[in-house]
Amino acid sequence: MESLLGTGVSKGIAIGSVLVKKESSSDFQKKSITDVEHEWDRFQKAIEAGKKQLEVLVQQSRETIGEDEAQIFEAHILILEDEELANLVKTQIDNQKKNTEWAVHEAAEHFAVILEGLEDEYLKERAHDIRDVSARLIRILSGTDKHEIPIMDKPCIIVARDLLPGEMVHIDKAVVMGIITEAGAKTSHTAILAKAMGIPAIVGAEGILEKVKDHDTIVFDGELGNLFINPDSDILEQYNQKLELLKIQKKELESFRDRASITKDGADVELFGNMASVAELPGLVENGAQGIGLFRTEFLYTTQASAPSEEEQFEIYKLTAEKMQGKTVIIRTLDIGGDKEIPYLGLDKEENPFLGCRGIRLCFDKVDIWKVQLRALLRASIFGDIKIMLPMISVIEEVRKAKEIINEVKEELESSGIPFNENLEIGIMIETPAAAMIADSMASEVDFFSIGTNDLIQYTLACDRMNPKISYLYSQFNPSVLRLIKHIIDTGHEYGIKVGMCGEAAGDIRLIPLFVGMGLDEFSMNASGLLEAKKVVTQISRLEMSKVVPEVLKLKTAQEVETYLAGFSAI
Amino acid sequence: MIQAIVEITNNEGLHARPASDFSKTSMKYKSEIKVYKNNEEKAYNPKSILSVMSMGAVKGDVLRIEASGEDEAAAIEGLKTILENCNK
């Protein structure tokens, strides 16, 4: 038995038989040729074929994995059609009189080596993409492009030096128990794709290829990153038990996927998902999300070097609405502040960024950028049930001003004859005590509330949640916060609007029964919490819980609340 | 032939989206376009994403764009704008 430690990048336990993936780009022969025209013709045909393959991959990954992954392949198309790459291939064929496979390999290596020599980490990584494209061309040229990875007909753990994105999408989730690569880091394509596909994975397992061969047994923990090759019976037993336990828990929870989220006494409770990228959509749908309660759009802004264009955003919002098939999709407009470094926004450094120009305040300050987002949102609104949510509202004037700007954008669209949903609902985040206190005024101006508990706790207790010295203050069981939440729900209902909640408390199974008792209409959480939340909901009664609410609100400390609630979700 | 000189001032340099925008925009023009970095002799081809990336332009680098052809004025204007936008 041997053990190794790599970087765990996709959690889960994997036990299985090793399938070593061999390097696929090196299997071609260098040959001398005489007919240079013929070789050049082969190159151009290979480009055409490669482009077709990549277009399929763009489409497939957009549908099954996510937009970010689709963009990897779009970049590959750009490399494939690169004119300098073609020039170099032509020069190699003409001058060296060698076959196209060799010429492509040489030309790609020329650029890959230059990029690897640069300081910039991002550009260094791109060498990988060039080699992926080159490998694809060579496979096409030599007719070995049928199987990009070995045939996987029985459960296996794939071990490779590295996996290219083009190879990752061909992995069959049904038989691949896990993935281990020698190269790669937390941010590598392999890591991101494995996580999105839900396959346990370890990257950066140095020396693994020297230590294993096909049919060896490996067990590993994709969270901790430790792995055992041909484990002894104790280890195997231990991991089998872990795996069984996870399977049982998963199966039990999965039985809730298609069940309605209705309490024992018949009250409907909506369980929605939070998302930041379309890559999370398949996971949300798989876990039975009945809608999207919070689409955090700021990641579209923080992950790239310039503001996302209207078209780019439109495509993403449209795709989300379509994937949710008419179910509610609440999209929160840009919610960032001076604590984030976004070069193109030129945000001022502030003394107190959490009390500064953030959320809706920043949207007003950068109104041109905000309008681009609103246009994209409105245009996408005809493809499903999209709703707009405004972040960080504290006074009524902000709601009115935001609505005015939205109306301006609507008029612009109307005059250009661009369709949008005229009855698009507009709601607000309630995450400042100020907004909570005047919930009545707010409710008469908007279509729905969503309680953002993370900020509401932070602002109510005047406590930075990241500061360990004052961590005793930050608690979702805090009585002041719970009383505010009760007030927000009651007031919203008094004015006939729906009240939802996003933020961590919404997915906390210890608190769900209490909020159900308070009458909260919608809970929005990460995909991983949905099934457990549904289990809790189906096991409680709203009427019974509503009787518990006044008892809880009488309690004096967060600790007392936590202790009191401990029994309700464990029924 | 006309030219423009732009300094890269953003921390990220010319990479990711700006690089591909720069390249895609270049392809729209018929003119022959060349880019030189910091008075070096090597000419880069902006119509090639690989050439743009291999330039490895980082903050502080000065780029000279040369265009010659029927739409040279538009090309210089278009490419200058892309670079200036990524500096914002």
Side-chain angles (χ1 to χ4, degrees):
Chain A
M1 179 175 80
E2 265 194 278
S3 65
L4 257 180
L5 187 65
T7 311
V9 290
S10 179
K11 68 174 183 185
I13 301 289
I15 302 177
S17 165
V18 169
L19 184 61
V20 176
K21 195 220 112 198
K22 300 186 182 60
E23 294 295 304
S24 46
S25 60
S26 52
D27 37 11
F28 68 90
Q29 287 179 340
K30 182 176 174 182
K31 286 185 207 154
S32 295
I33 51 104
T34 46
D35 189 350
V36 291
E37 284 305 315
H38 173 68
E39 290 303 314
W40 180 241
D41 189 48
R42 288 180 66 218
F43 176 68
Q44 287 181 314
K45 284 191 175 127
I47 296 279
E48 277 310 305
K51 195 178 170 194
K52 277 194 191 122
Q53 288 182 356
L54 285 167
E55 281 166 351
V56 171
L57 287 175
V58 169
Q59 193 60 27
Q60 270 180 359
S61 35
R62 183 164 284 145
E63 281 164 11
T64 59
I65 312 174
E67 184 56 33
D68 296 349
E69 289 71 21
Q71 278 173 11
I72 297 171
F73 297 117
E74 280 187 341
H76 285 191
I77 297 181
L78 213 56
I79 295 172
L80 188 76
E81 296 185 307
D82 194 275
E83 62 176 57
E84 289 294 318
L85 184 73
N87 287 341
L88 201 51
V89 168
K90 189 153 177 28
T91 316
Q92 298 284 7
I93 297 175
D94 289 352
N95 298 350
Q96 308 291 326
K97 302 276 186 295
K98 292 287 184 290
N99 56 337
T100 315
E101 287 89 333
W102 179 82
V104 166
H105 179 76
E106 289 297 300
E109 278 306 306
H110 167 82
F111 284 107
V113 168
I114 293 178
L115 292 191
E116 271 175 347
L118 296 174
E119 297 269 316
D120 189 291
E121 284 304 318
Y122 174 85
L123 292 173
K124 264 189 189 158
E125 275 281 310
R126 302 285 71 74
H128 203 60
D129 294 286
I130 298 175
R131 292 197 173 109
D132 193 357
V133 171
S134 155
R136 177 178 304 284
L137 281 171
I138 291 169
R139 284 193 305 267
I140 294 169
L141 286 162
S142 50
T144 56
D145 62 326
K146 300 294 172 269
H147 295 287
E148 295 190 291
I149 51 177
I151 303 168
M152 300 164 290
D153 48 4
K154 47 178 187 261
C156 61
I157 289 178
I158 293 192
V159 178
R161 197 191 64 77
D162 203 352
L163 286 169
L164 303 167
E167 297 168 329
M168 281 295 290
V169 292
H170 284 284
I171 280 179
D172 182 353
K173 279 196 263 187
V175 290
V176 175
M177 303 290 109
I179 295 167
I180 302 171
T181 64
E182 229 177 39
K186 266 203 157 61
T187 53
S188 63
H189 292 329
T190 312
I192 295 163
L193 289 165
K195 211 170 158 186
M197 296 162 86
I199 301 174
I202 292 180
V203 301
E206 280 174 43
I208 179 87
L209 280 172
E210 280 173 24
K211 296 191 166 108
V212 297
K213 55 186 184 309
D214 282 346
H215 311 300
D216 277 347
T217 300
I218 281 192
V219 301
F220 75 84
D221 183 326
E223 191 171 15
L224 304 174
N226 53 345
L227 67 90
F228 299 90
I229 303 162
N230 296 325
D232 60 33
S233 54
D234 284 354
I235 294 281
L236 201 56
E237 173 72 4
Q238 189 191 327
Y239 274 75
N240 262 318
Q241 278 176 5
K242 274 195 200 178
L243 187 65
E244 277 312 304
L245 192 67
L246 284 177
K247 271 190 195 159
I248 293 167
Q249 287 170 348
K250 202 170 160 224
K251 209 167 172 193
E252 204 235 321
L253 280 179
E254 274 170 1
S255 68
F256 284 90
R257 181 184 307 147
D258 300 315
R259 286 181 55 181
S261 57
I262 296 176
T263 60
K264 281 198 296 190
D265 56 339
D268 268 317
V269 175
E270 291 179 319
L271 298 177
F272 283 16
N274 291 346
M275 62 182 273
S277 144
V278 285
E280 292 167 81
L281 273 173
L284 287 165
V285 172
E286 217 165 276
N287 285 287
Q290 294 157 294
I292 302 298
L294 171 65
F295 183 166
R296 301 184 176 96
T297 57
E298 42 282 4
F299 287 87
L300 304 176
Y301 294 81
T302 53
T303 49
Q304 38 194 31
S306 54
S309 66
E310 178 184 324
E311 219 44 47
E312 189 181 330
Q313 294 190 62
F314 167 70
E315 288 297 334
I316 290 170
Y317 304 148
K318 174 174 173 253
L319 181 80
T320 309
E322 285 174 343
K323 287 263 177 216
M324 292 311 293
Q325 301 178 330
K327 297 187 184 109
T328 300
V329 174
I330 300 177
I331 302 182
R332 180 175 72 186
T333 64
L334 181 59
D335 184 20
I336 45 173
D339 53 314
K340 290 259 162 38
E341 181 100 23
I342 303 179
Y344 64 86
L345 280 181
L347 303 178
D348 296 328
K349 280 263 172 284
E350 296 176 320
E351 285 281 320
N352 282 312
F354 285 96
L355 302 178
C357 187
R358 62 186 304 109
I360 195 73
R361 310 165 184 183
L362 183 87
C363 294
F364 291 156
D365 188 49
K366 309 273 175 204
V367 73
D368 291 340
I369 288 181
W370 196 46
K371 276 186 164 178
V372 171
Q373 181 172 40
L374 293 172
R375 271 179 73 95
L377 272 170
L378 281 158
R379 283 176 54 202
S381 67
I382 55 169
F383 296 94
D385 183 22
I386 288 182
K387 301 180 182 187
I388 292 183
M389 180 153 74
L390 308 170
M392 193 64 195
I393 295 286
S394 34
V395 295
I396 202 83
E397 292 90 327
E398 287 168 338
V399 178
R400 292 183 180 150
K401 184 168 175 188
K403 284 165 75 181
E404 246 169 58
I405 296 172
I406 293 170
N407 280 333
E408 279 171 33
V409 177
K410 281 184 176 176
E411 277 162 27
E412 281 169 31
L413 288 173
E414 207 156 15
S415 62
S416 324
I418 300 170
F420 60 91
N421 172 13
E422 283 165 32
N423 303 315
L424 179 88
E425 288 192 9
I426 300 168
I428 57 171
M429 294 278 294
I430 303 265
E431 52 192 334
T432 65
M437 291 311 295
I438 56 161
D440 53 342
S441 313
M442 295 287 182
S444 53
E445 303 256 351
V446 300
D447 299 310
F448 63 91
F449 286 161
S450 183
I451 305 170
T453 52
N454 299 3
D455 276 345
L456 187 63
I457 298 168
Q458 172 158 277
Y459 292 129
T460 303
L461 291 154
C463 134
D464 175 358
R465 64 183 305 206
M466 299 302 171
N467 186 339
K469 276 190 194 162
I470 51 172
S471 62
Y472 72 97
L473 285 170
Y474 188 96
S475 164
Q476 40 216 36
F477 298 99
N478 178 278
S480 317
V481 175
L482 295 178
R483 287 188 197 189
L484 275 177
I485 290 174
K486 170 84 165 44
H487 173 72
I488 299 163
I489 298 171
D490 287 348
T491 313
H493 288 169
E494 206 179 301
Y495 284 78
I497 66 171
K498 270 196 177 177
V499 184
M501 181 185 286
C502 47
E504 276 162 40
D508 188 331
I509 55 164
R510 298 167 298 177
L511 280 163
I512 290 173
L514 179 72
F515 296 145
V516 167
M518 288 183 182
L520 192 70
D521 300 294
E522 171 246 296
F523 294 70
S524 193
M525 64 199 75
N526 294 334
S528 57
L530 280 165
L531 293 174
E532 215 173 12
K534 199 187 277 182
K535 183 180 167 193
V536 171
V537 166
T538 55
Q539 290 173 343
I540 56 173
S541 141
R542 173 163 270 175
L543 185 67
E544 276 169 34
M545 287 315 301
S546 70
K547 291 175 188 156
V548 171
V549 173
E551 299 307 315
V552 172
L553 292 183
K554 275 186 221 156
L555 299 171
K556 298 196 167 49
T557 68
Q559 188 56 54
E560 281 170 37
V561 175
E562 191 174 347
T563 312
Y564 188 92
L565 289 175
F568 292 99
S569 52
I571 302 167
Chain B
M1 192 273 287
I2 56 171
Q3 61 172 22
I5 291 173
V6 183
E7 186 186 340
I8 303 289
T9 57
N10 88 64
N11 290 330
E12 304 271 296
L14 182 60
H15 79 29
R17 254 169 43 120
S20 86
D21 285 351
F22 188 68
S23 198
K24 282 185 195 159
T25 308
S26 304
M27 290 181 213
K28 288 185 200 156
Y29 303 107
K30 291 196 185 113
S31 298
E32 189 188 338
I33 313 172
K34 287 177 186 161
V35 180
Y36 297 87
K37 187 175 86 171
N38 300 337
N39 285 327
E40 287 167 19
E41 270 178 33
K42 181 165 171 45
Y44 293 91
N45 174 4
K47 295 182 185 181
S48 152
I49 183 71
L50 293 179
S51 185
V52 171
M53 289 197 298
S54 21
M55 188 161 60
V58 294
K59 187 177 179 175
D61 284 339
V62 176
L63 303 186
R64 181 162 55 88
I65 315 168
E66 270 183 22
S68 46
E70 50 183 291
D71 53 2
E72 58 186 32
I76 288 290
E77 202 42 52
L79 293 178
K80 220 177 110 187
T81 312
I82 296 251
L83 289 182
E84 282 167 357
N85 279 345
C86 92
N87 278 340
K88 272 179 196 163

